[in-house]
Structure formats: structure tokens, C-alpha cells
Amino acid sequence: PKWLWEYMFFNYPVSDASFLEGVRRVPAASVLTYDVDSGQVAVLEYAPVFRAHDRLMSRPESFELARDVFRDRVPRYYVGADESACALTAGWDGRTVLALAPEPEAVTAYTYGIPGSDDLRGARDTARALGQRHREIVFDASFVSRLPDLMLETVYLSGGLERTSRASLLHVYRSLTDSATRFSLTLSVISMDTQFRGHAHVPFLVSEGMSSRLQGGPTGTDAAAWKLAWGSDHPEFEHHVAAAVRQAQERFGDLRTTSAHLSYALYVMSANHFCGELELASHYTTVRVPSWDQQLVDLSFGIRESMLSYSQFSRHKRGSREEALLQADLL
């Protein structure tokens, strides 16, 4: 029940609760050890959570550091395959990762979406301007007719980590790799837009209740809908959600701060939302995620041009010109 309460309220489990009785989820940056002789189990943390630097760099120093880090780290993720694929969307992350490919001619950019979508139109124009190989994966009538099977397979192949609403991803990776016969290496650009521009869609990625909490408001667990949903279990539901929020605060700091917003996005929101996609994709390709490179993550915690300045849960107004400057400089 605790896992279900978290899944329904936060969009994902946020504590160590799982849906199996007596089974706990291992926290981030930890390893579980089991002593065969004694039967004892221990969870050891091998790295502390990232924290905002005491002094945040700002332009031009931060831009110079970002250039060095991106130029050094991103090309490494293309190593090991004669041909690779890289997601290209209307967002800034795909274009940046593609621009840093050491051999662009060996990369096929790909974009998926419904016919006429902004992503497809924008990516098509970008690829044409660059002379970049580009593959479009369209969600058409044929895709719709196969949705029931795709939904079932999505949950099965991801081991229950991916929800049926993301069945489009199975279609994407199967189509892109021709059922695992092409593109043994794929670069994903997940999370970068969040880390460096502070975008975390509500309630798509962050629930309404947690969004309110990150902005210093109440979680809203006493709403009539929750009382109706949980009936006599509602008091215990409220107590558990409050405990989960406290646990997040103990780990990430004051949840009203942009540093905590970035930590929550990195360790809870992005990790949980995208883990199913990575498991699904692993049946067809090797996926690498440059945005989760240790040095890129540390960069996001060390410069002003990140969620530390642009968190939508702060007073920052989303969509400002300032958000685009780092990408413009890198490109």
C-alpha cells in the first residue's frame, strides 16, 4: 500500500517502499551487500548526493567551464560503434549532443512524433540545414492499430518499470534499430533540458502535490479526492506521504531551494521517469545518457545557468531569453 500511495501521489515511489512485501528499494548511489555466512544484508552508500557549490560560477567563467566540460565529455559517449543514432527534438539538448559528435557523418539523427508535430518539423529543418542523416518515426494509423499489443509488451519488456502510456517508446526503438539489427549504440538526451533549463512539467513529471511543496505550499493530502480514494486508510496515507516528504528534505535540504529542486529532479523525477525507457531500449540498443555524466551533473550544480537559476518552482519566469544563452554558446 505504501508504494501505491507514493506512486499515486508523487507519480513514482520516492522512499524505499516497493510493491513487494518485505522488499525495499535500494537508494541512489548505493550498493547492497549480502554476507553468505551470517545472512546479514547491508546497504552501503558509495557516493554522497551532489550539492550546489558554495560559489556558483557566472558568465563568462561559467560558459568557459561548460565549453570545456561538454567538449571533453560528450564525444566520449559516441565511442565504440561504427554507426550510432542520436535523438533530435525541438529541445536544446538533442541539438547540443548532436553538435558535439566527433564524426557527424557516422550519426543518424532521429525524431518521433505525430504527423505535423513541432518536433518533427523543427528536427527536419535542422537536419536539412546541417546535411545530417535523419530518420523520422511517425505515430500513424498503423501505429495506432498495434497499440494494444505494444502496451502489453511495453510493461512486459520493461519489467514493469514503464507505463502503458509510453508504449510509443517500444515502437520508436524497434523501428529505429530495425528490431535490433541497426544502431547498436544510441545517444539519449533525456534530463539535460531539466538540469540546465529547469523545466519539469507539472503534473507530467512532478505531481501537483509535490509541485506545491517545492514552492513552499501544502502537499494537499487532505483533498476530498484523496479521502474518497483511500477511505479509512486516508489518515495512514497522509502520515506516510508526510514522512516521504520529510525524507526527501533530509536528503536534499530545504525543498524550497533551487538546489533541492535540482536534486529532486535528478534523483527522483528523472531517474524514475526514464528508468523504464532505458530498460525497454536495452532490448534493442545500448543507450548512453551524457546528461548523467558525473562531470556534467557536477557542472549543473556549479554554475548559475542551470536549474539553480531557472527552476520553474522558484520566482523565475519560464521561457526567458536567459535560458537559451548557454545552448547558444555551446552550439
Side-chain angles (χ1 to χ4, degrees):
K2 292 179 179 178
W3 177 89
L4 182 61
W5 293 338
E6 292 182 23
Y7 182 82
M8 295 296 289
F9 186 81
F10 295 104
N11 288 348
Y12 340 91
V14 298
S15 71
D16 62 358
S18 83
F19 54 80
L20 297 173
E21 186 174 358
V23 176
R24 291 183 298 144
R25 298 170 66 244
V26 177
S30 300
V31 62
L32 183 143
T33 64
Y34 174 71
D35 189 299
V36 178
D37 296 325
S38 66
Q40 290 186 327
V41 175
V43 176
L44 307 175
E45 186 179 72
Y46 59 79
V49 297
F50 284 91
R51 300 286 184 191
H53 295 195
D54 293 334
R55 173 186 169 270
L56 297 182
M57 289 187 183
S58 55
R59 298 193 300 270
E61 190 180 20
S62 60
F63 276 24
E64 292 171 1
L65 176 63
R67 284 179 217 153
D68 291 341
V69 173
F70 271 82
R71 283 173 178 164
D72 175 51
R73 304 306 298 176
V74 174
R76 297 170 187 251
Y77 284 77
Y78 285 94
V79 174
D82 294 331
E83 273 195 310
S84 58
C86 178
L88 178 63
T89 67
W92 84 272
D93 36 18
R95 287 175 289 193
T96 305
V97 171
L98 181 62
L100 289 163
E103 298 178 37
E105 65 279 2
V107 180
T108 295
Y110 71 95
T111 311
Y112 55 85
I114 61 173
S117 64
D118 289 343
D119 271 351
L120 284 174
R121 284 204 308 269
R124 187 183 302 131
D125 291 343
T126 299
R128 186 181 298 122
L130 293 173
Q132 181 73 43
R133 280 189 296 177
H134 184 231
R135 183 164 179 173
E136 296 184 18
I137 302 170
V138 180
F139 302 143
D140 54 13
S142 173
F143 161 74
V144 173
S145 68
R146 291 184 290 115
L147 255 181
D149 290 334
L150 289 170
M151 291 166 70
L152 183 64
E153 284 188 272
T154 294
V155 176
Y156 175 74
L157 291 177
S158 67
L161 292 175
E162 192 58 273
R163 59 188 75 182
T164 58
S165 61
R166 302 270 280 170
S168 55
L169 294 172
L170 174 57
H171 174 69
V172 167
Y173 287 113
R174 183 175 282 161
S175 301
L176 173 69
T177 65
D178 295 332
S179 295
T181 61
R182 291 196 67 199
F183 303 125
S184 59
L185 175 62
T186 301
L187 272 75
S188 177
V189 297
I190 56 180
S191 187
M192 195 175 290
D193 197 51
T194 299
Q195 288 168 225
F196 290 98
R197 290 182 69 183
H199 296 181
H201 303 286
V202 178
F204 177 51
L205 293 177
V206 179
S207 68
E208 294 281 5
M210 197 57 188
S211 172
S212 174
R213 189 66 184 81
L214 292 170
Q215 295 176 72
T219 52
T221 52
D222 60 345
W226 293 122
K227 292 179 179 178
L228 180 65
W230 307 123
S232 60
D233 289 332
H234 180 260
E236 193 175 352
F237 158 75
E238 273 198 304
H239 175 77
H240 180 71
V241 168
V245 171
R246 282 197 304 273
Q247 188 179 46
Q249 179 137 320
E250 288 168 4
R251 182 156 204 191
F252 305 135
D254 187 344
L255 293 180
R256 296 170 297 182
T257 64
T258 54
S259 176
H261 299 174
L262 178 52
S263 293
Y264 185 82
L266 186 71
Y267 287 100
V268 179
M269 182 196 77
S270 293
N272 277 290
H273 182 73
F274 292 114
C275 66
E277 177 177 350
L278 298 181
E279 179 64 22
L280 197 66
S282 69
H283 292 276
Y284 302 97
T285 182
T286 294
V287 176
R288 293 179 181 165
V289 185
S291 55
W292 287 342
D293 180 274
Q294 182 174 342
Q295 292 189 35
L296 277 174
V297 172
D298 190 56
L299 176 70
S300 68
F301 278 92
I303 63 176
R304 296 191 184 280
E305 291 78 21
S306 73
M307 199 173 192
L308 298 179
S309 293
Y310 306 141
S311 170
Q312 69 187 77
F313 307 115
S314 65
R315 294 181 179 179
H316 167 72
K317 185 176 180 181
R318 182 172 172 175
S320 71
R321 175 178 173 274
E322 290 289 309
E323 293 176 9
L325 293 182
L326 177 61
Q327 181 206 13
D329 186 73
L330 289 170
L331 289 175

